[in-house]
Amino acid sequence: KAQRTPPADLNEREAMRAYYLTVRRDSEALAAPLAPEDMVVQTMPDVSPTKWHLAHTSWFFETFLLKPHAKNYRPLNETYDLLFNSYYQQVGPQWLRPHRGFLSRPTVAEVMDYRAYVDGAMLELMEEAGAALWQKLAVLITLGLNHEQQHQELICTDIKHVLAQNPLSPALYTPPGESASAPALSWSEFGGGIYEIGRDMDPAGFSFDNEGPRHEILLRPFRLASRPVTNGEFRAFIEEGGYQRAPLWLSDGWNAVSEGGWQTPAYWRRADDGSWREFTLHGEVPLDENAPVTHISLYEAAAYAEWAGARLPLEAELEVAARGLPLEGNFLMPQRDGGAAPIIHPQAVNMSAASAAGDGPQQLFGDVWEWTASSYSAYPGYRAPSGAIGEYNGKFMCNQMVLRGGSCATPHGHMRATYRNFFPAAARWQFSGLRLASDL
Amino acid sequence: KAQRTPPADLNEREAMRAYYLTVRRDSEALAAPLAPEDMVVQTMPDVSPTKWHLAHTSWFFETFLLKPHAKNYRPLNETYDLLFNSYYQQVGPQWLRPHRGFLSRPTVAEVMDYRAYVDGAMLELMEEAGAALWQKLAVLITLGLNHEQQHQELICTDIKHVLAQNPLSPALYTPPGESASAPALSWSEFGGGIYEIGRDMDPAGFSFDNEGPRHEILLRPFRLASRPVTNGEFRAFIEEGGYQRAPLWLSDGWNAVSEGGWQTPAYWRRADDGSWREFTLHGEVPLDENAPVTHISLYEAAAYAEWAGARLPLEAELEVAARGLPLEGNFLMPQRDGGAAPIIHPQAVNMSAASAAGDGPQQLFGDVWEWTASSYSAYPGYRAPSGAIGEYNGKFMCNQMVLRGGSCATPHGHMRATYRNFFPAAARWQFSGLRLASDL
Amino acid sequence: KAQRTPPADLNEREAMRAYYLTVRRDSEALAAPLAPEDMVVQTMPDVSPTKWHLAHTSWFFETFLLKPHAKNYRPLNETYDLLFNSYYQQVGPQWLRPHRGFLSRPTVAEVMDYRAYVDGAMLELMEEAGAALWQKLAVLITLGLNHEQQHQELICTDIKHVLAQNPLSPALYTPPGESASAPALSWSEFGGGIYEIGRDMDPAGFSFDNEGPRHEILLRPFRLASRPVTNGEFRAFIEEGGYQRAPLWLSDGWNAVSEGGWQTPAYWRRADDGSWREFTLHGEVPLDENAPVTHISLYEAAAYAEWAGARLPLEAELEVAARGLPLEGNFLMPQRDGGAAPIIHPQAVNMSAASAAGDGPQQLFGDVWEWTASSYSAYPGYRAPSGAIGEYNGKFMCNQMVLRGGSCATPHGHMRATYRNFFPAAARWQFSGLRLASDL
Amino acid sequence: KAQRTPPADLNEREAMRAYYLTVRRDSEALAAPLAPEDMVVQTMPDVSPTKWHLAHTSWFFETFLLKPHAKNYRPLNETYDLLFNSYYQQVGPQWLRPHRGFLSRPTVAEVMDYRAYVDGAMLELMEEAGAALWQKLAVLITLGLNHEQQHQELICTDIKHVLAQNPLSPALYTPPGESASAPALSWSEFGGGIYEIGRDMDPAGFSFDNEGPRHEILLRPFRLASRPVTNGEFRAFIEEGGYQRAPLWLSDGWNAVSEGGWQTPAYWRRADDGSWREFTLHGEVPLDENAPVTHISLYEAAAYAEWAGARLPLEAELEVAARGLPLEGNFLMPQRDGGAAPIIHPQAVNMSAASAAGDGPQQLFGDVWEWTASSYSAYPGYRAPSGAIGEYNGKFMCNQMVLRGGSCATPHGHMRATYRNFFPAAARWQFSGLRLASDL
Ligand SMILES: [Fe+3]
Ligand SMILES: [Fe+3]
Ligand SMILES: [Fe+3]
Ligand SMILES: [Fe+3]
């Protein structure tokens, strides 16, 4: 039976090794339904080929664990440093990001060899490290596995973009099941005052550096919608001319609509009979009116909120609402042993699960990342760690907006109430949606 | 004697008319040293030709005052609506911004005729308006004059960009005087806690919509530098390889440095003898080591702060520090009757003025806009006004950073402690600088 | 009375000086109707501002005559070398062509001073040169004046492009008169065999280097249309879907149509009532159905010919047809002393003039340049002159097509039957048209 | 034993079927050394993925033979029409060329299935066609096989470009053997006068439409170099500053050098020890000084010729020199049964073969395509065939230059003395070289 969660105590080496293998195997399982040809293609600079993700996550372990800490470790191929460094300036030069799709070599098989090579060295290192070294390693391994999980999500969203460009509309993975009815929208109220947000001081649980320091913030009374906006609701916005009414939009958003020719969320398509369809990882299917709208930019989220007479929530508001709730939701599936194959698509909120969770907002975790009105910036007192590892999060704190809650492509076990995801306001290829908020 | 400040009571019509004329004449005085040829050129999409500014500010009065409120007003030229609407989607289509430099017509003389035509109609309207209408007008005229003042600043920064591209290095306006020594850097401390920021509720004083609502914020204890960073200090950053050290930079900043080939602030030049010079509105002069560094992007400001072991201030921190201080500083000059001709360049802090102001931070007003770590977003409870006028500020609340305090190109009388300026992080053609801050 | 033609004998210095002044004044007369603002603007990289042309032609005399041959000549401004060198790599660096519109300085008045300065030095040089030097000078002055005439044509076509972008549709110069009826199209036949083409060996007459060496070519029997294709004829092509029918077009032409959104020749506009209008240097006027179609690319010319079941003529065919004909036609007008003001627009063929010219093709000179099927390449045995002057023509012998016959913007006296003009196939801002040809 | 040449009599159906299979198998043999990943990548708009070539050539047979002539033929996949139509406007829409690399599907295996499907239908059609239909089919099959051979060359040059971008420097195919010494350069003289060029009227032999009509041309006396310029000779040009001396270059060429940063032919690399190396289909190897220089643009060819005091030959001059010579040379190899594996790289002229060929120019066939001074245009009397097939050649007769003689990547049996290849002047990814010519 696989170790599907990190050990509670980082000193349980065997559990850690088992968990390492689980996460690494999960990435490979995600790639399993793909042909080698699928894994090479890059359809826009934001998208990386699947095999690049598989190699880059291995390079991460090689760079931050094996090279500094594994005696006698010899890299499999010196050129991989150039090819698979994503953005760590302090490590060395990087292959131009928009040219990742120029690389037919290493082949998928060679990348798999690279993964096996790194895994072999990692297992050996985990076994042989002395106690003092292990303390360091355990932290870095945990980081590396969380990094790998982030790329599992990107494998899903990137390959979806690749397949969506193809007029053959390839269908992979498991089809989404039947759609439940979305419950009617209601609101939950939250009082104003000083709250603490940010990661706990408990050293056992992992969190990214950008989730801290924990600090006080001042909120005004607010309310949050009981669930994300659905496709059906968003269709009403479209039908009332939402994409044609400049006053609803941020200035940059209106430019994006005009230049991009946006008329709907990404991946929506109109059938000859006028019905709406959407491209999913299972191919083109009828649009599910009850499921949360997804693949929208911050601009579309903000325009919808304006149209609905509401606003986007602050990231702190979502954190306040989410903390204490069970970390459950429609997450990426390979984590369940013997469970069903992954359905990598948002689903309408499950009513029975919802009632079990009480009266508060539903679906705060999973299905779709929720855009917030908060720009991604440093928490008070935040300092990036020193060294190359410090480039992980801090240097992106400009020109991006925070999203909260995880999506159907986020690995189970990777989410937290304090988790801060971030993308530029125009990004649409992630599973991004929105929940309405307003002042009291 | 000219009316150089708005009347304390908006109902003083005569004073309002006089002030209207003063502000309008100021714009023309700024253009006076320019040849017609200077006033046509556009050197990048951000830059507008001088004559465009002179016409657009007139169009603003025509659109928001004369057309809705002046009976029998007939526009001088129907096409001017297309040409001189900057970005008001609800008014009508706009001439493509990067093509403003394609327009040789209307000529400068024709633009001056347009100004006179609008002024004539405005004076008549101000005279003839009934009491009820006057209440509306006074608010809109005040907005229009503040708008005109903003474009006075842009006239300065845009023509500077135009002249700076020219290898003939034209010199206009008054040369900067001798440079004082900048005082040594010291720090002022501020306590943490809940503060109120944002515009006063006093209806008499003008403020832009984005300065409100007044609201509470929570600050942690902080300190602020006694003055902005100087050219001399910034030179040390350069000489220690600041522009070559990726770890100091935000990711987008490092890309901007690489793509733009940035090695210094904008307008710095290296003479054959190795000495530093800078292009000013008075032509190329030796770099003034004591003056505040200017024409830097948010990226350069943030990298400098990182290098200096400090951080950028929040906009709230600067407001807290600035409120209550006299609104004095090196501002744009034509406002003083019979005063000296404008010196449109930052100056070293004036020590005697500084000591008069007490122990706190100096130069919080004037000389250079100070970049903050705060992204430009809506204050809690902010709603943009309805109608086209609502496009003034709110729709830009994305992908921009706040600057505070005004510059040597900001008209005297246009500044407030609550004033929020905003530009994209990469902008360098404004008189933008920085002041260091840190946590206590 | 002005000297409007070059002296038959280059040794007539006085006549040469007088002719020099005539040509120089002609350029200035062309600029006279323009405001300084008009003379600064650049609306695409191909277009140069009027004042750039006025300065560049002076730079030509300074560079190739004054600097090498006038003792004690001191350039007025050393920086002008950078600003006004068009493309002579051997002279020195050149201001980036697409940035010519960035230059507000030198102003128009300063450019006029530059012209006067150069003219003063030229007149002195022409007076004082010894007999041996004069032989050299006379050749270079003749080249310089022909160069100036070429830029007179570009002044017309470039300012037309500038004014045409302006929604105010400025109208300058003299309006075109009433339109005559175009005669019905007929054909002239020419026998096959060996012909000589290229410039005469007569040293007295000027010709450009690319017109020689004179050489034999082999032609097959062909026929030429009696006049250029008219607007009315071209309208039929449009109405039969010419711009929508890919099979009529060269591959690059079809791409140009698609990317440029071409639906008509440049400067055609459709009025609200559906009637066709065209922008001219005299503003927008009804389209003259009888006048030759103009402002078309080689692609449009070739597609029209294909549609008409004909082909474009070879440059040799047009030369064979034109040689021996009087050098008369609708040319640029300022050349006639006391004559009418210039009408810079193609006119329907003048029937009476036509009958006077006999049975052959009409309008081979003037009105519109005629695109040919000949790519611009070196005649057998051609070698470019050595030195910078050798860059005049030879280095452009790639990726351009030959046009023949001159246009309404070509100065009278500048044309010859052997004259080879050349532009890229996509160029539309010249007065370019076409004449049909076919095999016998 | 395979049928490696087309049957002399097109009515020999069995031989035709056998030859069809040979050519189709040759394409697949070329792809055999590649991984599926290699066959997907597109590194610039000019380059197509290998699997696109394999599918497009099948689409050609489907479109021009099966659909019009095979009763009951049903396309394997209707979408392939969109994906694999290269540029035939009259057939239907085309997938955007620069996005060919976006297509992971159909996979290589699916493309191979498509080939088999088309081959099956073709063989059946060839068997069942009545005599009248066969006459049509034979012509179209011949065209289709010549088309397939052209794409065999492109498979080589395109995959070379793909592999060359990869820092892993993959090595495929057979390594080039040892290099012979290139013979000293000598010259052959040819008399002037009227020659006939273009395809023979013999209906048996295949030629493309652009090779006719046969027609008379007038040549002046000329001489041709005995062999192409070698790498060693081209290195001397580089070392004498050829790439830095603007006067040697065409204007467009100098721009290409500046913008592209060209310092050598494509694929040359400098080793750390200063020695020259080149990337080949067999990986990176030392530069062969004796082999013909290749991967140069027309611009580099013309600059070299200028530097060498010579000129590029006209296409007619090369045809006159080549006609009557045996069609032998270093061509693409899979044609020889049981022969050696292909060496797809130019080789130094083989002296013994050279002496056998007599005194005239050597290597006129094979190794490298030779750039000419002739722009690609229609021969007198040329008319493109009607229908979509007429788009094959004629619509490209603009902005391209003719190359002659075939290369090491041209299939044996595909070349003729009258063969006209054509590329834009800046193209460097083909096996293009040059031979010097001069006037007598
Ligand atoms: Fe990563
Ligand atoms: Fe404005
Ligand atoms: Fe010129
Ligand atoms: Fe093809």
Side-chain angles (χ1 to χ4, degrees), chain A residues 56 86 147 151:
Chain A
H56 160 71
S86 51
H147 174 257
H151 281 276

Side-chain angles (χ1 to χ4, degrees), chain D residues 155-351:
Chain D
I155 286 173
C156 297
T157 54
D158 289 1
I159 196 67
K160 183 170 181 177
H161 193 270
V162 168
L163 299 175
Q165 310 311 308
N166 196 315
L168 297 169
S169 274
L172 303 174
Y173 303 94
T174 308
E178 295 221 352
S179 162
S181 274
L185 193 75
S186 62
W187 296 85
S188 298
E189 302 194 350
F190 296 82
I194 290 180
Y195 291 89
E196 276 203 346
I197 65 166
R199 67 169 157 199
D200 243 280
M201 290 300 95
D202 173 6
F206 172 81
S207 61
F208 285 111
D209 60 350
N210 64 7
E211 298 172 52
R214 191 164 181 83
H215 63 287
E216 292 186 326
I217 48 114
L218 180 61
L219 290 181
R220 310 207 311 168
F222 66 101
R223 50 183 201 159
L224 282 183
S226 54
R227 53 160 178 74
V229 171
T230 62
N231 282 323
E233 288 163 344
F234 203 85
R235 198 166 56 74
F237 166 76
I238 294 173
E239 287 166 1
E240 293 198 15
Y243 280 90
Q244 284 78 47
R245 290 162 58 183
L248 298 172
W249 294 79
L250 286 161
S251 178
D252 286 354
W254 187 244
N255 291 339
V257 163
S258 306
E259 284 162 24
W262 294 352
Q263 300 287 333
T264 65
Y267 302 139
W268 285 30
R269 300 170 179 180
R270 196 119 203 195
D272 290 341
D273 67 0
S275 68
W276 285 109
R277 299 174 66 77
E278 62 180 321
F279 183 76
T280 74
L281 278 168
H282 335 282
E284 196 182 296
V285 300
L287 182 72
D288 180 352
E289 300 256 324
N290 293 298
V293 66
T294 189
H295 298 303
I296 57 172
S297 62
L298 177 281
Y299 300 130
E300 288 155 299
Y304 182 92
E306 178 75 17
W307 172 78
R311 63 168 172 81
L312 296 182
L314 300 172
E315 65 166 321
E317 292 169 342
L318 288 179
E319 181 167 331
V320 162
R323 65 189 182 187
L325 296 187
L327 275 161
E328 285 166 8
N330 177 17
F331 288 121
L332 189 63
M333 293 294 155
Q335 291 76 354
R336 287 189 207 146
D337 266 335
I343 298 172
I344 314 172
H345 201 67
Q347 304 284 297
V349 65
N350 182 321
M351 294 294 284

Side-chain angles (χ1 to χ4, degrees), chain B residues 176-331:
Chain B
E178 294 222 353
S179 163
S181 273
L185 192 75
S186 62
W187 296 86
S188 298
E189 302 194 352
F190 296 82
I194 290 183
Y195 290 89
E196 276 205 344
I197 65 166
R199 68 168 157 198
D200 244 281
M201 288 301 96
D202 171 9
F206 172 81
S207 61
F208 285 111
D209 60 350
N210 64 6
E211 298 171 51
R214 190 164 181 81
H215 63 286
E216 294 186 326
I217 49 114
L218 178 63
L219 290 183
R220 309 206 313 168
F222 66 100
R223 49 183 203 162
L224 283 182
S226 54
R227 54 160 177 73
V229 171
T230 63
N231 283 322
E233 288 163 342
F234 203 86
R235 198 165 57 72
F237 166 76
I238 295 172
E239 286 166 2
E240 293 196 15
Y243 281 89
Q244 284 77 49
R245 290 162 57 184
L248 298 173
W249 294 79
L250 286 162
S251 180
D252 286 354
W254 187 246
N255 291 341
V257 163
S258 306
E259 283 162 24
W262 295 350
Q263 299 288 332
T264 65
Y267 302 140
W268 284 31
R269 298 168 181 182
R270 195 119 203 194
D272 290 341
D273 67 0
S275 67
W276 285 108
R277 299 173 66 76
E278 61 180 322
F279 183 75
T280 74
L281 278 169
H282 334 282
E284 195 182 298
V285 300
L287 182 72
D288 180 352
E289 301 256 325
N290 293 298
V293 67
T294 189
H295 297 302
I296 57 171
S297 62
L298 177 281
Y299 300 130
E300 287 155 301
Y304 181 91
E306 177 76 17
W307 173 79
R311 62 167 171 83
L312 295 182
L314 301 172
E315 64 167 321
E317 291 169 343
L318 288 179
E319 182 168 329
V320 162
R323 66 189 181 185
L325 296 186
L327 275 161
E328 286 167 8
N330 177 18
F331 288 122

Side-chain angles (χ1 to χ4, degrees), chain A residues 37-38 104-105 108 165-166, chain D residues 37-38 95 104-105 108 166:
Chain A
E37 290 90 336
D38 297 324
S104 63
R105 308 296 176 100
V108 170
Q165 310 311 308
N166 197 314
Chain D
E37 290 90 335
D38 297 325
W95 185 250
S104 64
R105 309 294 177 102
V108 170
N166 196 315

Side-chain angles (χ1 to χ4, degrees), chain A residues 63-289:
Chain A
T63 301
F64 294 110
L65 283 124
L66 295 172
K67 284 190 181 173
H69 300 301
K71 268 182 290 212
N72 306 324
Y73 178 75
R74 306 201 35 172
L76 182 60
N77 188 318
E78 299 283 359
T79 304
Y80 287 3
D81 241 18
L82 168 68
L83 299 182
F84 301 124
N85 177 357
S86 51
Y87 55 64
Y88 296 84
Q89 304 288 349
Q90 294 171 71
V91 172
Q94 300 115 48
W95 184 250
L96 216 54
R97 181 176 182 130
H99 292 183
R100 286 181 186 161
F102 285 10
L103 299 170
S104 63
R105 308 296 176 100
T107 60
V108 170
E110 287 164 339
V111 166
M112 291 304 178
D113 288 347
Y114 179 41
R115 290 184 69 87
Y117 183 85
V118 165
D119 286 347
M122 280 297 299
L123 292 175
E124 192 183 319
L125 175 63
M126 287 191 246
E127 189 167 313
E128 297 186 351
L133 178 54
W134 176 259
Q135 298 309 314
K136 272 194 212 171
L137 292 186
V139 171
L140 288 168
I141 292 166
T142 304
L143 180 63
L145 293 176
N146 274 277
H147 174 257
E148 181 114 13
Q149 288 177 314
Q150 291 182 312
H151 281 276
Q152 287 166 7
E153 177 145 12
L154 293 172
I155 285 174
C156 297
T157 54
D158 289 2
I159 196 67
K160 182 169 181 178
H161 194 270
V162 168
L163 298 175
Q165 310 311 308
N166 197 314
L168 297 169
S169 274
L172 303 174
Y173 303 93
T174 308
E178 294 222 352
S179 163
S181 272
L185 193 74
S186 62
W187 297 86
S188 299
E189 302 194 353
F190 296 82
I194 290 182
Y195 291 89
E196 277 205 345
I197 64 165
R199 67 169 157 198
D200 244 280
M201 290 300 94
D202 171 9
F206 172 81
S207 61
F208 284 112
D209 59 350
N210 64 8
E211 296 171 52
R214 190 164 181 81
H215 64 286
E216 293 185 327
I217 50 115
L218 178 63
L219 289 183
R220 309 206 313 167
F222 65 99
R223 50 184 202 161
L224 284 183
S226 56
R227 54 159 176 74
V229 171
T230 62
N231 283 322
E233 288 163 343
F234 203 85
R235 198 164 57 72
F237 167 77
I238 295 173
E239 286 166 2
E240 293 197 16
Y243 282 90
Q244 284 78 48
R245 291 163 58 183
L248 297 174
W249 295 79
L250 287 162
S251 179
D252 286 354
W254 187 245
N255 291 340
V257 164
S258 306
E259 284 162 25
W262 295 351
Q263 300 288 332
T264 65
Y267 303 140
W268 283 31
R269 299 168 180 182
R270 196 118 202 195
D272 290 341
D273 65 1
S275 67
W276 285 108
R277 299 173 66 76
E278 61 180 323
F279 183 77
T280 73
L281 279 168
H282 336 281
E284 197 182 297
V285 300
L287 182 71
D288 180 351
E289 300 258 322

Side-chain angles (χ1 to χ4, degrees), chain B residues 37-38 104-105 108 165-166, chain C residues 37-38 95 104-105 108 166:
Chain B
E37 290 90 336
D38 297 324
S104 64
R105 308 295 177 101
V108 170
Q165 311 310 308
N166 196 315
Chain C
E37 290 89 336
D38 297 324
W95 185 250
S104 63
R105 309 295 177 99
V108 170
N166 196 315

Side-chain angles (χ1 to χ4, degrees), chain C residues 124-366:
Chain C
E124 193 182 317
L125 175 62
M126 286 193 244
E127 190 165 312
E128 297 186 352
L133 177 56
W134 176 258
Q135 297 310 313
K136 272 193 211 171
L137 292 185
V139 170
L140 287 168
I141 292 166
T142 303
L143 179 64
L145 293 176
N146 275 277
H147 173 256
E148 180 114 13
Q149 289 177 313
Q150 292 182 310
H151 281 275
Q152 287 167 7
E153 177 146 11
L154 293 172
I155 286 173
C156 298
T157 53
D158 288 2
I159 196 67
K160 183 169 181 177
H161 194 270
V162 168
L163 299 175
Q165 310 311 309
N166 196 315
L168 297 169
S169 274
L172 303 174
Y173 304 94
T174 308
E178 296 221 353
S179 163
S181 273
L185 194 74
S186 63
W187 297 86
S188 297
E189 301 194 351
F190 296 82
I194 291 182
Y195 290 89
E196 276 205 345
I197 64 165
R199 68 168 157 200
D200 243 280
M201 290 299 95
D202 172 7
F206 172 81
S207 61
F208 284 111
D209 60 351
N210 64 7
E211 297 172 52
R214 192 165 180 81
H215 63 286
E216 292 184 328
I217 49 112
L218 179 62
L219 290 182
R220 309 206 312 168
F222 66 101
R223 51 182 202 160
L224 283 183
S226 55
R227 53 160 178 75
V229 171
T230 63
N231 283 323
E233 288 163 343
F234 202 86
R235 199 165 55 74
F237 166 76
I238 295 172
E239 286 165 3
E240 294 198 15
Y243 280 90
Q244 285 77 49
R245 290 162 58 184
L248 298 172
W249 295 79
L250 286 162
S251 179
D252 286 354
W254 187 244
N255 290 340
V257 163
S258 306
E259 284 163 23
W262 295 351
Q263 299 288 334
T264 66
Y267 303 140
W268 284 32
R269 299 168 181 183
R270 196 118 203 196
D272 289 341
D273 66 0
S275 68
W276 285 109
R277 301 174 63 77
E278 62 179 322
F279 183 76
T280 74
L281 278 168
H282 335 282
E284 196 181 297
V285 300
L287 182 71
D288 180 353
E289 301 257 323
N290 294 298
V293 67
T294 188
H295 297 302
I296 57 171
S297 62
L298 176 280
Y299 300 129
E300 287 155 300
Y304 181 92
E306 179 75 16
W307 172 80
R311 64 166 169 83
L312 295 183
L314 301 173
E315 65 166 320
E317 291 169 343
L318 287 179
E319 182 167 330
V320 162
R323 66 188 179 187
L325 296 186
L327 276 162
E328 285 166 8
N330 177 16
F331 288 122
L332 189 64
M333 294 294 156
Q335 290 77 355
R336 286 189 208 146
D337 266 335
I343 298 172
I344 313 173
H345 201 67
Q347 304 285 298
V349 65
N350 183 321
M351 295 293 285
S352 54
S355 64
D359 287 343
Q362 311 297 328
Q363 256 181 325
L364 280 165
F365 293 119

